[in-house]
């Protein structure tokens, strides 16, 4: 494991000169502030398997990674609770970074689906919180009840739509089920321009990356796409994903740390690239 991580880091360091934008360069410049693959292990192993414990587990995870209690706001809708953390930017233009926290399936711990997304979300928050103020505001959102029909993400997207401020939201980056394979863009629930930007973020860091379409499958990004907010989903699922997700096999021991780390790095640079562009670039 350690040898593989060192090889990966060497490749990432070689890629740094390719990064042209200021935010894109600075977000990966200080290796001491970035999470490494081994840093994800304790957080993934601490997965709460009971849905009743998940939201409190999310709060504890963000607290561990530097979020003050007053920064964590629970947005309660009719049938769901979303946890929201805001990092104000220089403008009101906003990037939503989300992952769902609920689990489905008898005997499943939901370690892959989607505690890996929640852990990645917390590590992204940790990195961006340590940086100077972004041009755009960042909203980190842990969505509830995704497994019941995207309830949490739809509630948030609908609330934005009712306020008629969709244009303020530049993009939504969704992270769901990393850790079983190389990072993929979930194409049938992703904006094409954001999907290409994700590909660029992986390519610049010499990270394995794939395009993936799963017929009939859905993700929280689609709730925002339907409200004309550009969105993209990053996943990491093998061809036999049905053998793991929503089954008793979805346990922490199945998660490959290097794959989660790679997804974190793709998301990190993708968000920085979105920040460096006009909101109109994705519409």
């Amino acid at each position: 494991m350690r040898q593989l991580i060192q090889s990966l880091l060497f490749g990432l360091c070689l890629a740094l000169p390719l990064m042209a934008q200021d935010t894109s360069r600075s977000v990966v410049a200080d290796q001491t502030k970035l999470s490494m693959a081994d840093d994800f292990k304790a957080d993934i192993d601490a997965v709460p398997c009971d849905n009743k414990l998940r939201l409190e587990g999310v709060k504890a995870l963000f607290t561990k990674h530097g979020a003050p209690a007053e920064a964590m706001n629970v947005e309660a809708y009719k049938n769901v609770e979303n946890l929201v953390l805001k990092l104000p930017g220089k403008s009101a233009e906003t990037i939503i970074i989300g992952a769902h926290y609920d689990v489905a399936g008898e005997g499943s711990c939901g370690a892959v689906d989607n505690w890996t997304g929640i852990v990645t979300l917390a590590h992204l928050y940790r990195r961006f919180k340590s940086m100077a103020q972004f041009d755009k505001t960042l909203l980190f959102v842990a969505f509830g009840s995704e497994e019941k029909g995207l309830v949490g993400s739809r509630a948030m997207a609908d609330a934005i739509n009712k306020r008629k401020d969709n244009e303020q939201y530049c993009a939504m980056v969704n992270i769901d089920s990393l850790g079983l394979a190389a990072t993929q863009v979930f194409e049938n629930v992703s904006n094409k321009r954001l999907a290409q930007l994700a590909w660029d973020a992986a390519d610049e860091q010499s990270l394995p990356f794939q395009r993936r379409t799963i017929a009939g499958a859905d993700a929280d990004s689609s709730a925002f796409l339907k409200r004309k907010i550009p969105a993209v989903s990053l996943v990491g699922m093998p061809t036999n994903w049905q053998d793991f997700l929503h089954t008793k096999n979805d346990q922490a021991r199945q998660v490959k740390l290097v794959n989660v780390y790679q997804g974190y790095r793709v998301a990190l640079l993708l968000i920085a690239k979105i920040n460096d562009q006009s909101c109109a670039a994705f519409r």
Side-chain angles (χ1 to χ4, degrees):
M1 170 69 77
R2 177 61 64 180
Q3 184 177 2
L4 179 58
I5 295 169
Q6 288 174 341
S7 298
L8 179 59
L9 288 175
F10 179 71
L12 292 173
C13 290
L14 290 178
L16 290 181
L18 298 174
M19 298 174 189
Q21 298 292 343
D22 290 342
T23 306
S24 299
R25 184 182 296 113
S26 62
V27 78
V28 294
D30 189 347
Q31 295 286 322
T32 65
K33 293 183 178 179
L34 296 177
S35 299
M36 298 293 107
D38 286 347
D39 295 328
F40 292 88
K41 180 173 174 50
D43 293 338
I44 290 171
D45 286 345
V47 53
C49 301
D50 189 337
N51 259 323
K52 295 178 182 178
L53 304 176
R54 297 286 268 208
L55 182 55
E56 290 305 314
V58 176
K59 292 178 182 178
L61 184 60
F62 274 95
T63 298
K64 174 183 176 181
H65 290 289
E70 61 271 17
M72 289 185 277
N73 299 306
V74 175
E75 294 186 357
Y77 300 91
K78 183 178 181 180
N79 299 311
V80 70
E81 291 180 321
N82 296 335
L83 183 70
V84 181
L85 293 91
K86 182 178 181 179
L87 286 180
K90 297 176 184 176
S91 75
E93 292 183 335
T94 300
I95 303 170
I96 300 169
I97 310 156
H100 76 87
Y101 64 82
D102 58 316
V103 58
E106 185 176 354
S108 173
C109 260
V112 175
D113 183 16
N114 184 34
W115 195 247
T116 56
I118 290 295
V119 169
T120 302
L121 193 67
H123 282 260
L124 290 169
Y125 173 84
R126 172 179 173 267
R127 176 63 187 115
F128 288 122
K129 186 176 183 293
S130 71
M131 297 181 66
Q133 190 178 38
F134 263 37
D135 291 331
K136 295 177 175 60
T137 292
L138 302 181
L139 280 187
F140 298 83
V141 187
F143 295 111
S145 298
E146 185 266 0
E147 302 289 5
K148 295 181 179 179
L150 316 183
V151 179
S153 55
R154 283 178 174 170
M156 183 176 189
D158 288 348
I160 291 170
N161 188 63
K162 288 177 182 177
R163 295 195 301 268
K164 301 185 185 301
D165 57 357
N166 297 51
E167 295 297 320
Q168 175 181 314
Y169 291 84
C170 302
M172 185 272 181
V173 177
N174 181 53
I175 304 166
D176 197 342
S177 302
L178 300 176
L180 292 180
T183 313
Q184 303 144 12
V185 62
F186 195 174
E187 285 199 302
N188 48 311
V189 289
S190 295
N191 170 282
K192 290 184 179 180
R193 293 179 182 178
L194 288 176
Q196 182 59 51
L197 202 62
W199 185 278
D200 294 343
D203 186 56
E204 287 184 13
Q205 300 178 93
S206 300
L207 293 172
F209 195 75
Q210 301 169 350
R211 300 180 187 273
R212 188 70 186 275
T213 298
I214 303 176
D218 212 344
D220 283 318
S221 55
S222 70
F224 293 88
L225 289 173
K226 289 176 182 177
R227 292 303 184 185
K228 302 189 183 304
I229 297 171
V232 60
S233 276
L234 301 179
V235 300
M237 296 189 291
T239 55
N240 64 331
W241 59 270
Q242 299 98 325
D243 294 339
F244 298 93
L245 273 62
H246 301 180
T247 77
K248 62 182 180 181
N249 294 324
D250 191 348
Q251 307 290 334
R253 66 179 179 273
Q254 302 290 353
V255 177
K256 299 173 184 176
L257 297 178
V258 167
N259 290 151
V260 178
Y261 170 69
Q262 292 169 346
Y264 158 78
R265 290 299 298 249
V266 172
L268 194 70
L269 189 53
L270 169 61
I271 294 160
K273 284 178 170 291
I274 295 170
N275 180 71
D276 286 337
Q277 297 194 35
S278 161
C279 286
F282 313 112
R283 286 184 160 85

